[in-house]
């Protein structure tokens, strides 16, 4: 039973570029959330997708956008990259909108030069 | 707004001794509380959760946590620490009716020495 998978594992970009990160949820899960974890900090919620719609959003600018596909997989897009966007980006999946725990992937390490 | 505080950046304990990692939270409604562990270069692994019911929650790898509503705390405990427990531990909260958004604390590094 595959867990949450994310790709790529590492990525290096320069300021101003755009990036797309991908996530496949754990089998049986239908809800995907994205988090940003800066070095030495706890993860911060970016947004959540359920039934192909953004359901909840954290305090992140519009440069951060996403998508969920019919097979429940998801993409995170970041435009006009800033040095401060350097972080570990974590995808988490869960079943529905209730109290079930979220299962995390190993993340994509994004470095901005 | 919901928030989580983990007052200790690092906890040091000798192998075989009991350990406690502290967490306090703030939410306006009923809290859903979680503990996760993170090993180097890995994502977060779920340890345990409290939603309702018994205040003492048992989870994976021998960990447990005690929910205290009056003190708004959810401390993580283990009776006997192992060297392999050394990792970064995160407490997280979500408000019961506020969707799936988790708010995390800043993390506590647990160091278990042989």
């Amino acid at each position: 039973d595959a867990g949450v998978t994310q790709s790529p594992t590492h990525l290096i970009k320069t300021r101003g570029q755009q990036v797309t990160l991908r996530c496949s949820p754990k089998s049986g899960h239908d809800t995907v959330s994205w988090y940003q974890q800066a070095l030495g900090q706890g993860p911060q919620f970016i947004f959540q997708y359920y039934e192909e719609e953004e359901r909840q959003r954290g305090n992140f600018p519009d440069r951060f956008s996403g998508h969920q596909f019919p097979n429940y997989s998801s993409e995170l897009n970041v435009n006009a990259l800033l040095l401060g966007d350097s972080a570990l980006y974590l995808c988490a999946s869960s079943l529905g909108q209730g109290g079930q725990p979220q299962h995390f992937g190993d993340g994509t390490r994004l470095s901005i030069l | 707004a919901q928030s989580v505080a983990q007052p200790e950046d690092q906890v040091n304990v000798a192998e075989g001794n009991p350990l406690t990692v502290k967490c306090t939270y703030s939410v306006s409604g009923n809290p859903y509380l979680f503990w996760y562990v993170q090993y180097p270069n890995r994502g977060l692994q779920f340890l345990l959760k409290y939603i309702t019911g018994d205040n003492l929650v048992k989870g994976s790898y021998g960990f447990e946590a005690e929910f205290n509503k009056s003190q708004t705390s959810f401390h993580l405990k283990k009776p006997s620490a192992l060297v392999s427990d050394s990792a970064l531990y995160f407490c997280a909260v979500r408000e019961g009716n506020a969707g799936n958004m988790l708010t995390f604390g800043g993390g506590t590094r647990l160091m278990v020495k042989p």
Side-chain angles (χ1 to χ4, degrees):
Chain A
D1 181 16
V4 179
T5 58
Q6 292 186 242
S7 63
T9 54
H10 294 87
L11 204 50
I12 299 175
K13 292 285 187 178
T14 58
R15 283 178 296 173
Q17 285 188 313
Q18 177 265 342
V19 69
T20 297
L21 311 181
R22 295 176 175 82
C23 171
S24 293
K26 179 180 169 66
S27 178
H29 286 181
D30 58 7
T31 301
V32 173
S33 300
W34 287 91
Y35 292 83
Q36 181 195 65
Q37 185 179 20
L39 199 60
Q41 298 183 19
Q44 290 197 328
F45 177 80
I46 303 174
F47 44 53
Q48 177 200 97
Y49 278 84
Y50 174 67
E51 293 184 334
E52 302 180 49
E53 292 188 10
E54 183 182 296
R55 299 291 179 165
Q56 204 171 7
R57 189 179 183 92
N59 189 25
F60 279 81
D62 292 344
R63 299 187 296 109
F64 290 77
S65 63
H67 190 78
Q68 186 179 34
F69 299 94
N71 67 352
Y72 308 120
S73 67
S74 177
E75 290 181 350
L76 164 64
N77 301 293
V78 187
N79 295 322
L81 287 166
L82 304 174
L83 292 178
D85 295 333
S86 295
L88 180 67
Y89 287 85
L90 296 166
C91 172
S93 72
S94 58
L95 178 61
Q97 301 281 289
Q100 295 304 312
Q102 296 179 29
H103 293 252
F104 284 79
D106 285 340
T108 294
R109 174 73 61 188
L110 176 62
S111 299
I112 311 301
L113 303 180
Chain B
Q2 51 198 47
S3 65
V4 175
Q6 294 182 242
E8 302 153 316
D9 289 337
Q10 183 162 317
V11 169
N12 297 310
V13 64
E15 188 175 31
N17 283 0
L19 68 87
T20 298
V21 182
K22 296 179 180 178
C23 170
T24 59
Y25 67 90
S26 174
V27 291
S28 55
N30 292 324
Y32 289 18
L33 294 155
F34 304 83
W35 275 101
Y36 285 85
V37 60
Q38 187 175 35
Y39 295 97
N41 301 313
R42 300 297 302 274
L44 278 67
Q45 292 181 28
F46 168 73
L47 284 178
L48 51 78
K49 67 176 181 180
Y50 171 84
I51 295 178
T52 186
D54 195 351
N55 289 344
L56 185 63
V57 179
K58 294 189 182 297
S60 306
Y61 313 117
F63 284 94
E64 57 189 26
E66 186 169 9
F67 171 66
N68 187 316
K69 186 174 183 178
S70 63
Q71 297 185 5
T72 61
S73 66
F74 189 57
H75 300 332
L76 181 70
K77 301 181 179 184
K78 188 175 183 181
S80 179
L82 300 172
V83 172
S84 58
D85 292 330
S86 298
L88 193 54
Y89 290 80
F90 290 98
C91 179
V93 68
R94 56 162 277 202
E95 189 177 338
N97 296 322
N100 267 6
M101 180 182 81
L102 289 177
T103 298
F104 285 86
T108 298
R109 184 165 302 281
L110 174 66
M111 299 288 291
V112 182
K113 298 181 180 180

